[in-house]
Amino acid sequence: EARLEESGGGSVQAGGSLRLSCKYSRYISRYLAWFRQAPGEVKLGVAAISIYAGTTLYTDSVKGRFTISVDDSDYILTLEMSSLRPEDTGIYFCAAGSRLSLGAPDFDFWGQGTQVTVSA
């Protein structure tokens, strides 16, 4: 059964840091990603990683502030977020898909999400 479960969300002031974790099922996919969904908006791809190649993608607004990584021995996907801004607020989902991408249609399996709130 394909499963992803996020943890680590919370509230922080602007400029602060948070670490998100996602426990995923073994063999779920070679490609994992983090998406953010703000109220009333569609899911936006934030960062993606190829598990075996280690190749990463980031949306422009988080480059230099967020780092995606994976521990495929323990099946944990991590998103380290620093210099957080109010516009980073939203529900963060981890996802597993068929290619290295920041597009939601490329991802077949989703976690339930974890809330991140950044106050000014």
Side-chain angles (χ1 to χ4, degrees), residues 42-115:
V42 299
K43 289 185 176 74
L44 168 71
V46 173
I49 189 166
S50 168
I51 292 175
Y52 300 143
T55 310
T56 57
L57 286 178
Y58 295 93
T59 194
D60 286 347
S61 65
V62 308
K63 287 179 180 177
R65 301 188 299 121
F66 290 12
T67 301
I68 188 171
S69 61
V70 63
D71 181 346
D72 201 41
S73 60
D74 287 335
Y75 314 112
I76 296 176
L77 175 72
T78 300
L79 185 68
E80 298 273 5
M81 305 186 293
S82 62
S83 301
L84 282 161
R85 305 167 181 169
E87 55 263 40
D88 296 320
T89 294
I91 302 173
Y92 282 71
F93 298 87
C94 63
S98 56
R99 57 191 293 251
L100 185 64
S101 167
L102 295 177
D106 292 321
F107 291 82
D108 304 305
F109 305 105
W110 295 83
Q112 294 299 305
T114 185
Q115 177 71 43

Side-chain angles (χ1 to χ4, degrees), residues 7-27:
S7 61
S11 297
V12 65
Q13 289 190 324
S17 300
L18 281 174
R19 169 189 280 188
L20 304 183
S21 297
C22 173
K23 182 73 172 175
Y24 60 90
S25 303
R26 186 180 183 183
Y27 301 136

